[in-house]
Amino acid sequence: MKNGILIAGAVAIVVVGAALVLRNSGAEAPAPEQQAAGPVAHMSSGPVPDFSSDKLGWRQNNRGGDNTGFNPIPGDDSTRLILHHPDFPYAQNVVNRVGDFTSPLLTPWAAKILEERARKVMAGGIPFIPNSRCWPGGVPGLHFFPAPIYFLQTEKEVWLLSNRGEVRRIFMDQAHSADPGYSWYGESVGWYENGNTLVVDTIGQDDKGPIDRYNIPHTKQIHVVERFTMNADRTEMNVIITVEDPGAFTQPLKGLMRYTPATERGATEKTEWEEYVCNENSEEFFIPADQLVPVPSATKRDF
Amino acid sequence: MKRIGLLAALVALTAISAWAADQAAAPAPAPATPAAPFQFFKPAAGQDISGKYWIKYYSAKIQPTGGGELPYKPEFMELYRKHQTAVAASAEIIPEDQARKLCTPDGVPRVLQNPYPFEIIQTEGQIHILYELNKIIRLIKMDEPLPDDMYLLTFPYYSGHSAGRWEGDTLIVQTGGFKDYTFLDNSGAPHSDQLRVTERYRKINDGKELEVVVNIHDPGVFTADWSTRFVYDSRPDLKIMYWNCGETHRDIKGVAGVVVPN
């Protein structure tokens, strides 16, 4: 009897221990290390995930988190974000964001610029928000435009259309060009992985716009990798965003934007793409003009 | 000793129960592969007009088939002359021309005559035309009819609402529901909210060119329907560039008929 109880106890401990090992080995493998931009093309592998059929739109939905900014990646200690300055109030204010210019993730150059922008907001100034003044979002800034996005998928190219009138182009299964130049959205190349992920690698962005609504600056060295991963029943899409820029950041920034299918409030129908023209009716009647960045406009014809 | 064994068994059994409960609460991880892999859309034979295009000949003033003037009613011909005079006066943009001043969409058919390239993307149930100029997006629904007149009047778009169908190798696009403050061309031709445009797209010259024949119906300003035609080179070598209003854009001096103001 005594020996039987001892044996039962030992067996139970072994079983529990084995179960714990099995649970850990069922955890997802860590994401592959970020590929550096270079001349080698990344080729897609596995089935092509369906981001686009049925004209599906995707809307930002971070489940109580920030729908117009980076979010931490749950359970991932490689998350690196520059968020709201801890000494200032209105931490959850969507509009009047004050970036943490004391973050060790910022180079001295970037910290100085962010401090200027942050102190202007704290003094009552109006922050610059690209989509509010009809400026491009860039990458990753377009994720923080409060509007659904739509994918168009063909074999050679993927387009992201924003319901804010913006278009991103991703060239599939090819390398970056030798001289992509510099532009608002840079040059994006992409490939599919694991049957559920679109990886997008972007270089060649000029340094005109901020990376997010905290107005964090960047340089032309910026290199962004986005991993769009969709679940099997197309009800959720997580985008892990990594931003490298040795001119602005001491380490790569890394965060999450989560999307769910776009629907009108209270309805189950998909939200359709609509024509949206930001520049119309852009006069401002309540804020002095010298506090606002002008909307883009032309004075001379190109033709 | 017996008590130690009993205690060990009790601890183990408690741990097993907790682990089992934990497994029941944890959501099953999503499988890596979706049930139905995506299938790229393949147009039917003779119905593939996807690709990148650039206009062969540019004219600021839209040219009606058969020549002559646009058949305006007298009061709208007067307005047209006024716009033409203002547009021709200088390289400055006239205040009424939002498409050039604020880079709002040109409208149809004006966007068809523009000297910057565009691309046509065919996917299931829809065709998108993405113009480099003003980053204009047009959506042509291939699986729905055009909305009714009340909807078109209530929710006008700069580029109108478009519905398309195929007749053999020709894509026929019907568009209505335009905002009435766009111009029909770059010389300031006005239109009304009754404008309805029918475009016929087809590949010609062994697929090296795209032809678009356009019919204009607008009883609000015209005495009769009229038509015009545009031809584009197929340019698979091109990449469409991003457009931000007021900045330097692609060099278009090489497009026949373009005059770039100093």
Side-chain angles (χ1 to χ4, degrees), chain A residues 156-167:
Chain A
K156 291 188 181 170
E157 203 168 337
V158 169
W159 292 260
L160 291 188
L161 306 185
S162 160
N163 238 7
R164 283 275 184 167
E166 298 289 297
V167 180

Side-chain angles (χ1 to χ4, degrees), chain A residues 140-213:
Chain A
L142 187 60
H143 285 289
F144 312 134
F145 279 28
I149 60 171
Y150 301 82
F151 290 80
L152 301 178
Q153 290 174 267
T154 66
E155 284 173 277
K156 291 188 181 170
E157 203 168 337
V158 169
W159 292 260
L160 291 188
L161 306 185
S162 160
N163 238 7
R164 283 275 184 167
E166 298 289 297
V167 180
R168 282 186 61 188
R169 295 174 167 86
I170 301 155
F171 302 100
M172 299 300 291
D173 295 341
Q174 59 183 271
H176 280 297
S177 48
D179 183 17
Y182 297 100
S183 58
W184 280 99
Y185 284 92
E187 180 187 76
S188 296
V189 298
W191 62 94
Y192 297 112
E193 287 181 358
N194 304 325
N196 65 351
T197 298
L198 167 66
V199 186
V200 181
D201 186 298
T202 303
I203 60 171
Q205 292 190 79
D206 62 32
D207 54 3
K208 296 180 192 175
I211 67 164
D212 67 357
R213 285 189 169 214

Side-chain angles (χ1 to χ4, degrees), chain B:
Chain B
M1 202 57 184
K2 185 168 75 174
R3 282 179 187 170
I4 292 171
L6 277 171
L7 187 60
L10 184 62
V11 167
L13 284 169
T14 304
I16 290 171
S17 297
W19 172 81
D22 188 38
Q23 289 302 299
T33 305
F38 180 73
Q39 301 291 333
F40 292 114
F41 176 71
K42 298 272 188 254
Q47 294 180 353
D48 186 353
I49 58 166
S50 60
K52 296 167 177 50
Y53 300 94
W54 206 341
I55 200 165
K56 289 179 82 73
Y57 315 104
Y58 167 76
S59 169
K61 187 172 178 302
I62 203 163
Q63 303 295 322
T65 304
E69 288 286 357
L70 299 181
Y72 274 115
K73 296 176 179 175
E75 63 273 34
F76 290 99
M77 181 59 83
E78 193 180 324
L79 180 60
Y80 182 27
R81 293 281 181 245
K82 184 178 156 201
H83 286 165
Q84 280 183 304
T85 304
V87 168
S90 77
E92 300 293 324
I93 302 169
I94 64 171
E96 298 90 339
D97 195 356
Q98 287 192 28
R100 294 290 77 81
K101 182 165 179 58
L102 295 177
C103 303
T104 57
D106 282 38
V108 183
R110 186 181 185 185
V111 72
L112 298 175
Q113 67 164 170
N114 93 81
Y116 290 91
F118 63 93
E119 57 189 342
I120 297 177
I121 305 156
Q122 292 176 250
T123 53
E124 188 69 52
Q126 57 188 2
I127 294 176
H128 286 82
I129 308 181
L130 307 183
Y131 299 88
E132 184 166 295
L133 176 73
N134 295 352
K135 53 185 181 183
I136 295 165
I137 301 171
R138 284 186 70 194
L139 166 60
I140 301 163
K141 295 184 180 180
M142 298 297 291
D143 53 3
E144 294 176 33
L146 206 60
D148 61 36
D149 287 350
M150 182 56 69
Y151 184 95
L152 295 178
L153 201 61
T154 310
F155 302 108
Y157 281 175
Y158 285 87
S159 298
H161 297 260
S162 298
R165 69 180 193 279
W166 287 96
E167 282 185 5
D169 66 354
T170 302
L171 172 68
I172 300 175
V173 179
Q174 292 182 305
T175 306
F178 292 95
K179 296 197 180 202
D180 62 3
Y181 42 85
T182 57
F183 294 154
L184 290 175
D185 71 359
N186 283 319
S187 69
H191 68 87
S192 78
D193 59 14
Q194 297 176 54
L195 176 65
R196 295 289 184 270
V197 179
T198 303
E199 300 150 88
R200 287 178 160 76
Y201 292 74
R202 70 184 181 111
K203 285 275 191 79
I204 58 173
N205 194 7
D206 289 328
K208 293 198 276 289
E209 294 172 346
L210 180 75
E211 170 196 68
V212 184
V213 175
V214 185
N215 178 265
I216 305 295
H217 172 78
D218 188 351
V221 303
F222 294 118
T223 57
D225 289 2
W226 53 278
S227 62
T228 188
R229 178 177 179 264
F230 303 102
V231 181
Y232 310 90
D233 285 318
S234 172
R235 292 293 302 272
D237 58 304
L238 284 179
K239 284 186 177 176
I240 306 298
M241 296 169 66
Y242 183 76
W243 185 282
N244 195 36
C245 198
E247 295 185 349
T248 302
H249 303 117
R250 179 193 296 271
D251 183 358
I252 54 170
K253 293 194 204 66
V255 178
V258 164
V259 176
V260 175
N262 292 328

Side-chain angles (χ1 to χ4, degrees), chain A:
Chain A
M1 179 62 175
K2 176 172 72 176
N3 289 338
I5 292 170
L6 280 171
I7 291 169
V11 167
I13 290 170
V14 169
V15 167
V16 169
L20 288 171
V21 169
L22 283 171
R23 181 184 181 188
N24 285 336
S25 68
E28 287 181 332
E33 286 186 2
Q34 176 188 309
Q35 301 288 335
V40 177
H42 293 269
M43 305 306 290
S44 296
S45 60
V48 176
D50 182 1
F51 291 94
S52 60
S53 65
D54 302 322
K55 305 170 192 172
L56 184 64
W58 297 91
R59 188 188 291 277
Q60 295 86 347
N61 182 356
N62 287 282
R63 306 196 191 292
D66 192 347
N67 282 340
T68 50
F70 281 105
N71 289 266
I73 307 165
D76 185 339
D77 59 10
S78 68
T79 295
R80 299 274 186 273
L81 295 177
I82 302 163
L83 299 175
H84 199 87
H85 196 294
D87 291 344
F88 297 124
Y90 311 121
Q92 295 302 317
N93 188 303
V94 173
V95 177
N96 289 338
R97 295 180 185 236
V98 175
D100 183 5
F101 49 84
T102 66
S103 168
L105 292 173
L106 291 163
T107 62
W109 169 83
K112 183 166 182 280
I113 293 175
L114 186 58
E115 182 173 1
E116 282 170 25
R117 295 173 179 176
R119 292 201 182 279
K120 178 191 163 192
V121 176
M122 285 317 300
I126 306 297
F128 171 61
I129 300 173
N131 61 277
S132 294
R133 304 305 292 159
C134 308
W135 286 84
V139 185
L142 187 60
H143 285 289
F144 312 134
F145 279 28
I149 60 171
Y150 301 82
F151 290 80
L152 301 178
Q153 290 174 267
T154 66
E155 284 173 277
K156 291 188 181 170
E157 203 168 337
V158 169
W159 292 260
L160 291 188
L161 306 185
S162 160
N163 238 7
R164 283 275 184 167
E166 298 289 297
V167 180
R168 282 186 61 188
R169 295 174 167 86
I170 301 155
F171 302 100
M172 299 300 291
D173 295 341
Q174 59 183 271
H176 280 297
S177 48
D179 183 17
Y182 297 100
S183 58
W184 280 99
Y185 284 92
E187 180 187 76
S188 296
V189 298
W191 62 94
Y192 297 112
E193 287 181 358
N194 304 325
N196 65 351
T197 298
L198 167 66
V199 186
V200 181
D201 186 298
T202 303
I203 60 171
Q205 292 190 79
D206 62 32
D207 54 3
K208 296 180 192 175
I211 67 164
D212 67 357
R213 285 189 169 214
Y214 286 107
N215 257 294
I216 297 171
H218 67 85
T219 74
K220 290 180 178 177
Q221 299 174 70
I222 188 170
H223 169 217
V224 183
V225 177
E226 301 152 281
R227 298 182 62 84
F228 297 77
T229 300
M230 187 174 57
N231 67 356
D233 59 3
R234 304 171 80 219
T235 56
E236 187 161 305
M237 178 176 72
N238 290 343
V239 189
I240 306 288
I241 304 166
T242 307
V243 182
E244 272 185 314
D245 186 344
F249 312 126
T250 56
Q251 296 180 53
L253 305 186
K254 189 174 178 187
L256 169 72
M257 175 57 73
R258 180 182 281 127
Y259 292 82
T260 54
T263 53
E264 300 287 356
R265 287 180 197 276
T268 55
E269 293 84 17
K270 300 184 289 287
T271 297
E272 287 201 333
W273 177 88
E274 294 179 333
E275 180 184 86
Y276 175 91
V277 179
C278 184
N279 273 15
E280 68 173 354
N281 298 325
S282 56
E283 294 87 356
E284 175 55 56
F285 299 106
F286 299 103
I287 299 173
D290 62 355
Q291 290 210 31
L292 290 174
V293 172
V295 297
S297 64
T299 52
K300 287 195 181 316
R301 295 197 301 269
D302 287 339
F303 56 98

